[in-house]
């Protein structure tokens, strides 16, 4: 009998999206339970010593940290999306880590308290995207077939659907490989289904709740 999987999540968390994308890619049924991070329930804090989403409940036993969750799912559910070759697998894991670092830079962008800090964050993000552009080849996905790297970067690009509605900040302009990859990922079923239909509105409301330069531009 297969184990029950429950993904404890927050509606806009990009790390939750990674796990959801992997589950959807593997066509593995799961229940999703959203929590409010500003008002974390006691039962959640008992499950997550770091107090962060996502958590994957396997029956009633928790696994926390998105990278660990995704690795567990890749090892136990369906066909692996990591490469079989050890070096390529390590290479992919390096770029998954790069995606995490880029997410931190993006959070720094939309939470920057003033225009000067926001411009610094834009430059930092742009530098990282230029490194990524240089690393991309001519394949449809990061390295041929859809992989864990694609699952990691899809939530990164999703942020820009909202950013682009506010202003073109130049972080992705004149980066043709990234632009093509972003479009391909946005059209994939697992990426589309990893968030609710109201994701854009929820994320914009989250930005508005920040005391940030970007929030002022929305107002």
């Amino acid at each position: 009998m297969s184990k029950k999987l429950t993904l404890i999540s927050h509606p806009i968390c990009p790390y939750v999206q990674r796990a959801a994308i992997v589950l959807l890619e593997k066509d593995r049924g799961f229940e999703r339970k959203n929590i409010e991070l500003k008002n974390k329930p006691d039962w959640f804090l008992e499950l997550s010593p770091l107090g962060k989403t996502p958590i994957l409940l396997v029956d009633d036993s928790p696994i926390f940290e998105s990278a660990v969750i995704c690795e567990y799912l890749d090892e136990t559910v369906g066909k692996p999306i990591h490469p079989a070759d050890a070096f390529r697998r390590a290479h992919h894991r390096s770029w998954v880590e790069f995606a995490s670092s880029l997410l931190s830079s993006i959070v720094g962008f939309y939470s920057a308290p003033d225009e000067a800090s926001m411009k610094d964050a834009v430059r930092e993000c742009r530098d990282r995207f230029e490194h990524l552009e240089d690393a991309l080849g001519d394949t449809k996905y990061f390295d041929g077939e859809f992989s864990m790297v694609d699952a990691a970067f899809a939530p990164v690009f999703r942020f820009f659907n909202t950013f682009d509605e506010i202003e073109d900040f130049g972080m992705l302009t004149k980066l043709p490989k990234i632009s093509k990859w972003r479009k391909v990922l946005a059209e994939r079923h697992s990426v589309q289904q990893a968030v609710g239909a109201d994701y854009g509105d929820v994320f914009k409301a989250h930005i508005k709740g920040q005391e940030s330069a970007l929030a002022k531009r929305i107002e």
Side-chain angles (χ1 to χ4, degrees):
M1 183 175 179
S2 62
K3 297 179 183 292
K4 178 183 177 182
L5 299 183
T6 305
L7 188 63
I8 311 298
S9 62
H10 181 269
I12 65 168
C13 177
Y15 297 101
V16 168
Q17 292 176 49
R18 289 185 188 180
I21 290 168
V22 173
L23 284 161
L24 290 160
E25 283 291 326
K26 291 170 176 286
D27 198 24
R28 176 60 161 88
F30 66 101
E31 179 183 348
R32 190 162 184 164
K33 183 180 292 187
N34 285 330
I35 66 159
E36 177 51 61
L37 292 179
K38 291 183 178 179
N39 187 25
K40 300 171 186 175
D42 291 340
W43 62 263
F44 170 76
L45 295 173
E46 290 175 4
L47 293 173
S48 175
L50 297 176
K52 299 190 297 184
T53 56
I55 298 173
L56 182 69
L57 289 180
V58 183
D59 286 338
D60 294 321
S61 299
I63 301 174
F64 55 93
E65 285 298 292
S66 64
V68 178
I69 291 169
C70 290
E71 294 284 342
Y72 167 77
L73 292 172
D74 207 42
E75 292 172 3
T76 60
V77 181
K79 180 183 176 181
I81 60 174
H82 259 322
D85 177 76
F87 178 81
R88 284 183 63 210
R89 194 162 61 248
H91 178 68
H92 281 212
R93 285 173 173 148
S94 297
W95 282 101
V96 170
E97 183 62 28
F98 185 88
S100 297
S101 177
L102 184 50
L103 283 170
S104 296
S105 298
I106 290 171
V107 172
F109 160 70
Y110 72 70
S111 62
D114 52 54
E115 290 290 328
S117 298
M118 189 172 73
K119 288 180 180 178
D120 287 343
V122 167
R123 283 193 291 269
E124 180 178 310
C125 290
R126 175 70 189 194
D127 287 346
R128 292 182 185 275
F129 279 121
E130 287 176 350
H131 282 297
L132 178 61
E133 177 80 4
D134 291 342
L136 293 176
D138 296 322
T139 57
K140 183 177 182 181
Y141 295 108
F142 177 78
D143 187 19
E145 298 296 320
F146 187 92
S147 70
M148 201 70 75
V149 182
D150 299 283
F153 275 96
V156 172
F157 298 138
R158 195 192 309 276
F159 280 135
F160 285 85
N161 296 343
T162 299
F163 297 155
D164 289 348
E165 291 179 2
I166 303 167
E167 187 178 318
D168 181 1
F169 294 95
M171 286 185 269
L172 299 179
T173 55
K174 297 183 180 179
L175 298 176
K177 293 178 182 178
I178 287 179
S179 296
K180 182 179 177 181
W181 187 28
R182 176 189 177 187
K183 184 175 185 296
V184 167
L185 291 178
E187 293 171 349
R188 197 165 179 93
H189 177 76
S190 62
V191 174
Q192 294 175 350
Q193 296 300 310
V195 297
D198 62 346
Y199 169 85
D201 292 335
V202 173
F203 181 49
K204 187 173 286 187
H206 176 72
I207 295 173
K208 287 182 178 179
Q210 309 285 314
E211 294 183 0
S212 68
L214 188 61
K216 292 175 183 176
R217 293 199 182 194
I218 297 176
E219 295 170 358

